[in-house]
Amino acid sequence: MRTIISRLIHSTPSSISRLNALAVSINGRAFSTDSTKIDEPFKVEEAETVPPSTPPTEKLLVLGGNGFVGSHICREALNRGLSVASLSRSGKSSLHDSWATNVIWYKGNLLSTESLKEALNGVTAVISCVGGFGSNSYMYKINGTANINAIRAASDQGVKRFIYISAADFGVVNYLLQGYYEGKRAAETELLTKFPYGGIILRPGFIYGTRSVGSMKIPLGIVGSPLEMVFQHTRALTQIPLVGPLLTPPVNVTSVAKVAVRAATDPVFPPGIIDVYGIQRYSQSKSK
């Protein structure tokens, strides 16, 4: 025993160094194979942050995107960061606004389903603003047949949602524009059949706003805005047969555009028919 204690007392410096190295290593430091060299503590570096993958951009096709309502819808969709395309008989819009350069313009006729094939490529939602006036047969063809063709083509292509800008009932006016309203209602029926969970019908009355006709700008709001305020208080009177619907309040084109784009992009937006009062309500509420 004395011999062991004596050896420990008379240990060489190198032996003591080895013991110190062992003690240090136990306290959290690494030691190398060279017993006389003590490594520096480990350095922990933060891993590089990997950004989340960007979700695919939704692509919206606006039928009649160069018209009064359609152009406002295109602009609203672009403001929301969507990829926007338009299909119409005249093709590219005559508008010189900067936003128009960001729209993909297609020229085609909805009475020919071939026009829709290229335009529907990669599209997740369609908004149709197609409509027109003329003879009863012509109005049925433009408001009904053309939209029915688009609805069927979009369904076959696997489009998720289809929004149709229809029209409110105006009582006695329905009889005067029989082809117009019969075409609208036929398109609505087809839409609810082909898109039971993703078909939304907007039924505005008179749509006001600044309408561009060539180089002229017609401020329809001068008439429409005051009438909208007045007719807000006549809702009960709209139930009067034939003449009551004439008191349906006008609606701003920007409200129609906001609700149409929201309906096309919000997966929880309820399918079915949205009347003018619903359009006003949804345009004032924020999408979730």
Side-chain angles (χ1 to χ4, degrees):
M1 184 66 178
R2 291 179 181 178
T3 304
I4 295 172
I5 294 172
S6 175
R7 287 180 179 177
L8 288 174
I9 292 173
H10 296 89
S11 295
T12 62
S14 61
S15 299
I16 296 174
S17 177
R18 292 191 188 97
L19 291 173
N20 287 337
L22 180 60
V24 169
S25 68
I26 294 172
N27 288 326
R29 294 176 180 266
F31 56 94
S32 67
T33 53
D34 184 354
S35 59
T36 61
K37 179 181 178 182
I38 300 175
D39 291 342
E40 293 294 325
F42 287 124
K43 293 182 180 180
V44 179
E45 296 183 358
E46 292 186 4
E48 183 181 355
T49 302
V50 179
S53 58
T54 304
T57 304
E58 294 184 82
K59 184 178 180 181
L60 178 67
L61 175 63
V62 182
L63 304 178
N66 56 1
F68 173 50
V69 177
S71 60
H72 281 80
I73 289 175
C74 287
R75 183 165 56 185
E76 174 68 19
L78 288 171
N79 288 340
R80 294 199 186 191
L82 302 176
S83 174
V84 181
S86 168
L87 175 69
S88 62
R89 287 179 293 178
S90 58
K92 189 174 183 179
S93 173
S94 59
L95 297 174
H96 300 292
D97 297 335
S98 58
W99 62 264
T101 59
N102 296 320
V103 176
I104 304 169
W105 301 99
Y106 293 100
K107 184 176 182 179
N109 188 344
L110 292 183
L111 295 175
S112 171
T113 55
E114 293 296 321
S115 300
L116 283 161
K117 287 185 177 180
E118 183 181 1
L120 283 171
N121 186 32
V123 167
T124 54
V126 174
I127 300 178
S128 177
C129 312
V130 173
F133 297 95
S135 66
N136 277 327
S137 61
Y138 177 80
M139 287 190 292
Y140 186 89
K141 190 180 295 183
I142 295 300
N143 296 282
T145 306
N147 284 296
I148 290 172
N149 287 345
I151 291 165
R152 290 175 179 174
S155 176
D156 293 341
Q157 193 73 13
V159 173
K160 298 177 182 177
R161 304 178 76 80
F162 196 111
I163 319 304
Y164 178 43
I165 311 299
S166 187
D169 285 319
F170 275 103
V172 67
V173 177
N174 291 25
Y175 297 98
L176 301 176
L177 299 172
Q178 187 175 356
Y180 179 86
Y181 280 97
E182 286 182 354
K184 291 283 188 185
R185 299 303 173 249
E188 290 180 0
T189 301
E190 185 69 20
L191 177 59
L192 295 178
T193 301
K194 293 291 187 182
F195 289 86
Y197 304 109
I200 295 97
I201 298 162
L202 303 187
R203 284 187 178 177
F206 170 63
I207 302 176
Y208 69 87
T210 302
R211 182 187 290 266
S212 298
V213 180
S215 58
M216 292 179 57
K217 292 187 178 296
I218 304 174
L220 299 177
I222 293 176
V223 176
S225 184
L227 285 178
E228 182 179 15
M229 295 179 65
V230 172
F231 287 172
Q232 286 295 328
H233 307 286
T234 62
R235 184 170 184 176
L237 298 178
T238 60
Q239 304 303 315
I240 300 174
L242 296 180
V243 295
L246 295 174
L247 299 176
T248 299
V251 62
N252 195 312
V253 66
T254 57
S255 297
V256 176
K258 284 182 179 180
V259 177
V261 175
R262 177 179 173 182
T265 56
D266 187 350
V268 299
F269 195 97
I273 299 172
I274 310 296
D275 64 10
V276 62
Y277 301 102
I279 293 171
Q280 292 172 332
R281 184 174 65 255
Y282 279 114
S283 68
Q284 294 168 2
S285 63
K286 294 181 179 180
S287 57
K288 296 180 180 180

